[in-house]
Amino acid sequence: MTWLFPFFLAAGAAIIAPILLHLRRQPPQTRVDFSSLMFLAATPIVTSTRRRFERWLLLLLRCLALLLLAAMFARPFIVSKDEVAIAQGRAIIVLVDRSGSMQQGKQWASACAKASEWIGKFTPQDYLAVGTVDRVLTRRLDFEELEKKSKAERQDLTSTDLEATGCSYDATHLDAALREAVSWLAEANVGSGKVPAEKRIILISDLQEGAHLDALRGFAWPDDVTLTCDLVKPANVDNLSISLVAAEEDTPSSTAAAATLASKAAPPTNLLRLRLANARDAKADAFALRWNLEGTTPIASGQLPAGATRVLRLPLPASATTPPVLELSGDSWDFDNRVYMAPPQPRKVSVVCLTSRAETTDAATPLFYLSRALQPSPHFLPTLSPLGTEASQTDVLKTAQWLVLTADYANTKGLADATAWIEQGGQALCSVGENFNATSLTQLLGHDLKLTEAEVKNFALLADFNVQHPVLRPFQDARLRDFSKIHVWHYRRLASAAEKLIPGAEVIARFDNGDPAWLAIPRGKGRIVLMLHGWHPRDSQLALSSRFVPLLYGLLAEAGIALDEPVQFVVGDVLPVPSEGEVTITPPKGDVQTIKTQEPHPLMLAKQPGFYKITSAGTRRIIAVNLPPEESRITPMDVGKLTALGVRLHTESSANIALVTQDKQRLANEVLEDQQQYWLIALALLLWVLGIETWLAGRRPRTA
């Protein structure tokens, strides 16, 4: 039982009044006249101090009435565990920044010492938790782990855990960490069963300018949560940084003489575009760049004023047998002075084409446009294997990664091999031209579609795309989805709905008259994308449009050949590890990791800069991982940026926070008491007691 106005309970002391009234000695009320008493001896009157209660029931009723009156004004209500709780202690979360910028000097050691110092300032009645911040917030010590422990035990646990954790190379996502910390504080109510008197986040960080804050925009910061920023200041901010912007091929000019010279000379030289930056408040401005493979001779040097940025174009070493590392010198901090460059490693993709006409030089054949759409790039090296009707595909299909067929292909042995390859999980593209072979198409699909030549007046247009399908993922942007300029002169029509003919078939594109144009048809573990028209100019303008290459890349991505890898990898990115099969990963430092399971592999994140070697199915790939560029901006930010985003900063006087908590508690109590209204019960009992007391007091006591 809880009271809304407990000070009214003091009025219950008024029960002393009826007790004193009952104890008061009553003088005799009856007078008896006698005759003369002069002849009798006078007897002295003996006064007795003894008091006794004569009407117990009446006394109890009067005392009970006064107690009920006091309880009624005190407004009683009952509090359950799930409703309003009593505020006790403080909920404190200590967050320690362990991002890449904390690698400089003794920043991490200083942050750990500050965390232990903060833990020692709070009492055992406070609820404490410890976390670390980099790319995500990691909960190190939860409220339950530090509850009911002494200051010394809490400090020992914190120091041991932070020492074992160490500093990382990740970026500082301060916005996501603070939002997660607010949610973590909300759990303090559930864990302790009582509302904390104060909720507070203590952030121990260098608060460098490169920290991410965008996720705090529009976030409603709670009124009862405050933030304290304990700044870990660097010794100085003389920091130069180097980061990779892009890599490109340095091709000669387009003049005839230059083209002739280029054809006889060595392959084009790979150029690097690098961003060189100096800290805003730096005092040093001289720099030098050198490759670790070419001794100590600088390849570039100069001066860069404080706060300036410059983009440099430098060539890769011509004869590098090992992956090169570009090193920067001239500043006080070494943690961000290296750029790791992996050698060019284009991904080899084997594409097998089954067609009746395997010429790639004849503009009337589909392979003419396919071979020109699949051009090699620094990340993509396709191998097109056109096979005619007389060739055997058994050996070639063993290494194939994607299959392209035309419906006029009539080699029964080749179709059987292709069907078996698709059923094992392969992906294929099949176009139905004007001279399609119905028997071959039935053998490939396992169903007779009964296609007929559609009557087209002028031309048909492609429309109604299912952009949620993985094949059409490149066209999810509405600006890239415009196929209205692609005319289709001839196409084939289904006799009935594809969903009824083939279970599991999906129509991913239709013509403007509603007829299916592209279908995704399952075949065993694999899939066939069926085009009911050709892409060559005799059937349509698809191969001549700018949509043809993105469509092919979408089909390759559906086949598991991802060609959208980033220009560079930074710490925290997902490594391009094959999804299945045995994979061996050799990090820059640490133990070699081998994954042997046949299940889909978990996401592997890059945790440190350097070269990662990934070996799978006899192929070896080197991945260069660099430090996130924003971690080099080590100048401390203005704390006012956090205030502008709605974050409530803690002040030394927490009276305002306590008042807010008390007001919320009082309002919650008032709402709960108003819902229960137990004072009405007290009033009813009071009236009943007063009625009995009145009746009982009106009766004359029996005289002895």
Side-chain angles (χ1 to χ4, degrees), residues 481-492:
R481 210 180 303 158
D482 184 13
F483 283 76
S484 59
K485 296 182 180 179
I486 301 176
H487 296 172
V488 179
W489 317 115
H490 305 283
Y491 73 90
R492 281 83 243 168

Side-chain angles (χ1 to χ4, degrees), residues 138-154:
T138 304
R139 302 186 181 189
R140 297 295 175 186
L141 298 172
D142 214 332
F143 292 105
E144 292 79 6
E145 298 179 64
L146 296 179
E147 192 175 6
K148 297 180 181 179
K149 294 189 181 298
S150 64
K151 291 183 180 181
E153 291 175 331
R154 289 177 171 182

Side-chain angles (χ1 to χ4, degrees), residues 321-324 340-345 565 569 575-576 586 610-615 619-625:
T321 57
T322 59
Y340 299 89
M341 290 299 305
Q345 302 168 92
E565 289 185 359
F569 290 88
L575 295 174
T586 306
F611 296 107
Y612 287 78
K613 300 175 183 178
I614 301 175
T615 305
T619 61
R620 186 183 181 187
R621 189 178 179 191
I622 299 177
I623 303 296
V625 177

